[in-house]
Amino acid sequence: MSLLAGKTALVTGGTRGIGRAIVDHFVAEGALVFFTYAGSADKAAEIEVLHGGQARSFQADAASFDRAHEVVEAIVEAAGALHIVVNNAGITRDNLLLRMTEAQWDEVLAANLKSVFNYTKAATKVMMRQRAGAFVNISSVVGLGGNAGQANYAASKAGIIGFTKSVARELGSRNIRANVVAPGFIATEMTAALPEAELQKWLQDVPLGRAGTGADVAQACAFLASDRASYITGQVLLVDGGMG
Ligand code: NAP
């Protein structure tokens, strides 16, 4: 049987990169997938058509607390359940600390960390009623080791780890699990923006000798979201080719 057959999943930021790969992989594994996006309405419509009813989208700024609750309510109304939430939406606004603006700090913390609170909080009541649920939150190796020029991003990604471990402890008795996937260097539009020299510097530190793909991350997410991981919670799984 498919890994996620019978499950309803929500993926934030599902139109591009890692989130898109997660949507595709979860559908292939039998899940009904709802996904959000910030602005890529055309891409979202394409994905819906491609998956013929197994993937449905919402335009929703992940930083909005109220919108997160509306999205979760709409999913429960449509599907009657919500078993899996993958908090994937994220942005970078890189700058050295000396030059980092307050707006760059606030935007990254809102899109990357507050968003995880928003969707976890909105889905928790539903999962408590079901007495089952799984959160998979996308952090980064940068959240563990830091990175010059990314103090805002690293803080948001480290925050996700502390948040997830706390949720795992709070909700474990309700059969709700919460885990983190920390990708290393994954080839997406986010990393395509890096200068070639920086890219080569990153790749030198990868024992497997290549950048990861969205599918590499999606497979780890599917495992942690599935019943095969039923005794795993509060963990951080690095999907980084061995660089961590
Ligand atoms: P990406 O290619 O830039 O795609 C980002 C996705 O998130 C898009 O679907 C985008 O929607 C959506 N999004 C952005 N801001 C949003 C917001 N405020 N509300 C709702 N959706 C929003 O990024 P990626 O490389 O796939 O990264 C995905 C996640 O993995 C992020 O959390 C990132 O920090 C993490 N990560 C990435 C890497 C890497 O090497 N790429 C490594 C470690 C961790 P639109 O298309 O509408 O803009």
Side-chain angles (χ1 to χ4, degrees), residues 11-25 40 43 47 88-90 138 183 186-192 212-218:
V11 180
T12 65
T15 38
R16 290 185 284 119
I18 292 170
R20 168 69 196 273
I22 295 170
V23 171
D24 292 347
H25 189 65
S40 307
K43 212 156 255 181
I47 296 167
N88 164 77
I138 307 296
I186 311 298
T188 67
E189 285 173 45
M190 185 180 270
T191 46
T213 64
D216 289 325
V217 180

Side-chain angles (χ1 to χ4, degrees), residues 4 7-11 26 82-87 119-120 123-124 126-128 130-137 164 167-168 171-172 174-180 220-234:
L4 302 176
K7 305 280 191 197
T8 299
L10 165 62
V11 180
F26 277 29
L82 178 56
H83 306 104
I84 299 163
V85 174
V86 182
N87 280 301
Y119 281 89
T120 305
T124 291
V126 182
M127 291 181 178
M128 282 172 76
Q130 293 169 175
R131 294 196 72 81
F135 292 101
V136 180
N137 298 330
T164 306
V167 168
L171 300 178
R174 311 298 182 108
N175 194 32
I176 298 171
R177 299 181 297 105
N179 289 291
V180 170
C221 293
F223 167 67
L224 287 173
S226 78
D227 294 340
R228 291 201 192 151
S230 56
Y231 201 53
I232 301 175
T233 195

Side-chain angles (χ1 to χ4, degrees), residues 67-123:
R67 186 74 182 123
H69 284 74
E70 286 170 10
V71 166
V72 167
E73 266 172 39
I75 292 171
V76 174
E77 207 176 299
L82 178 56
H83 306 104
I84 299 163
V85 174
V86 182
N87 280 301
N88 164 77
I91 59 169
T92 50
R93 296 287 181 269
D94 297 351
N95 218 340
L96 293 172
L97 184 59
L98 276 176
R99 294 196 201 125
M100 189 172 288
T101 63
E102 186 183 6
Q104 286 172 332
W105 174 270
D106 287 346
E107 266 185 70
V108 167
L109 269 289
N112 295 7
L113 182 57
K114 185 179 177 228
S115 60
V116 180
F117 164 71
N118 292 341
Y119 281 89
T120 305
K121 172 110 176 136

